Amino acid sequence: MRITCPLCGDRDRREFTYYGAADYLDRPGMEAPAEEWDAYLHLRDNPAGALRDLWYHEMGCAAWLVVNRDTVSHAVLSVRLVTDAQAEGGKA
């Protein structure tokens, strides 16, 4: 699989570290109830199809990326810097 880093260009996925669903960027507030924190920490979907992932460009520019990819075909649909994704919509 190839990932196109917005800063470094097209790279092999072995340069990156996968950190899971990009939902981890959408943390509840400090005053959120325990149920909301439980859902954030433990409840995850495992869909077949389009998914937003969080990747770290460990062997490159050290950027955090939101990668939209298809879990069935492994096609990378889009890649954005986490900072850009958060600035555009308030959440990644």
Side-chain angles (χ1 to χ4, degrees), residues 24-70:
Y24 282 117
L25 297 172
D26 303 328
R27 290 177 63 115
M30 292 300 292
E31 303 300 321
E35 296 80 17
E36 194 172 329
W37 276 100
D38 181 56
Y40 168 76
L41 293 170
H42 303 112
L43 302 178
R44 295 281 178 241
D45 293 329
N46 189 18
L51 185 67
R52 286 180 335 130
D53 291 330
L54 183 60
W55 292 74
Y56 177 64
H57 197 175
E58 185 173 13
M59 304 294 281
C61 62
W64 285 94
L65 307 172
V66 175
V67 178
N68 291 303
R69 67 182 181 93
D70 188 310

Side-chain angles (χ1 to χ4, degrees), residues 5-21:
C5 175
L7 302 175
C8 301
D10 192 38
R11 299 288 194 257
D12 188 273
R13 67 131 330 270
R14 291 175 287 191
E15 286 191 17
F16 301 85
T17 300
Y18 173 75
Y19 274 89

